[in-house]
Amino acid sequence: MTRYMIQVRATAMSEAGDFPDDPTLLPRMMAFHDEMAKAGVLLDGAGLQPSSQGFRVQYDAAGQAGVMDGPFAESKELIAGFTTIQVRSREEALEWSRRFPNPVGDNAPAV
């Protein structure tokens, strides 16, 4: 068995702390996670806070840790949520991933 992570990339909307207007999105995502749990492949899944609530730990050349508070400008590199699954193959991971509800709503481009 191999673990895979389905990442939900941050958008301007998620960074603002807003959720898509689609009232069916959250129930569909919950149902899909429930389906994965019943199939025995779901390990974990959650949404994350906007980067304005976060921080990064960076180390300088001497190995000293410094902390940089969010928000972070490059939202395309940020993750707004994740789902970790454990499946038999890459192909099975792709099957589950292709069925994942579009996190920005069905009428928006996929992330």
Side-chain angles (χ1 to χ4, degrees):
M1 298 289 264
T2 305
R3 293 179 182 198
Y4 288 87
M5 180 182 287
I6 301 168
Q7 296 180 353
V8 175
R9 295 290 180 175
T11 63
M13 183 180 277
S14 67
E15 278 294 285
D18 296 331
F19 201 76
D21 293 334
D22 181 354
T24 70
L25 182 59
L26 188 58
R28 287 187 296 124
M29 286 191 137
M30 290 173 63
F32 187 67
H33 276 85
D34 188 50
E35 182 181 350
M36 289 189 292
K38 288 177 181 171
V41 301
L42 180 66
L43 295 176
D44 194 10
L48 302 173
Q49 293 291 323
S51 71
S52 61
Q53 303 300 308
F55 58 88
R56 288 183 178 157
V57 176
Q58 296 178 315
Y59 297 89
D60 64 19
Q64 297 296 312
V67 176
M68 180 174 35
D69 290 325
F72 304 107
E74 291 295 323
S75 65
K76 68 181 181 182
E77 297 175 359
L78 299 174
I79 298 172
F82 68 93
T83 299
T84 308
I85 57 176
Q86 186 167 340
V87 294
R88 292 183 234 35
S89 66
R90 179 179 187 270
E91 291 73 25
E92 186 179 357
L94 285 170
E95 287 175 28
W96 284 108
S97 297
R98 285 185 181 111
R99 295 182 46 223
F100 197 88
N102 185 345
V104 294
D106 286 334
N107 297 325
V111 215

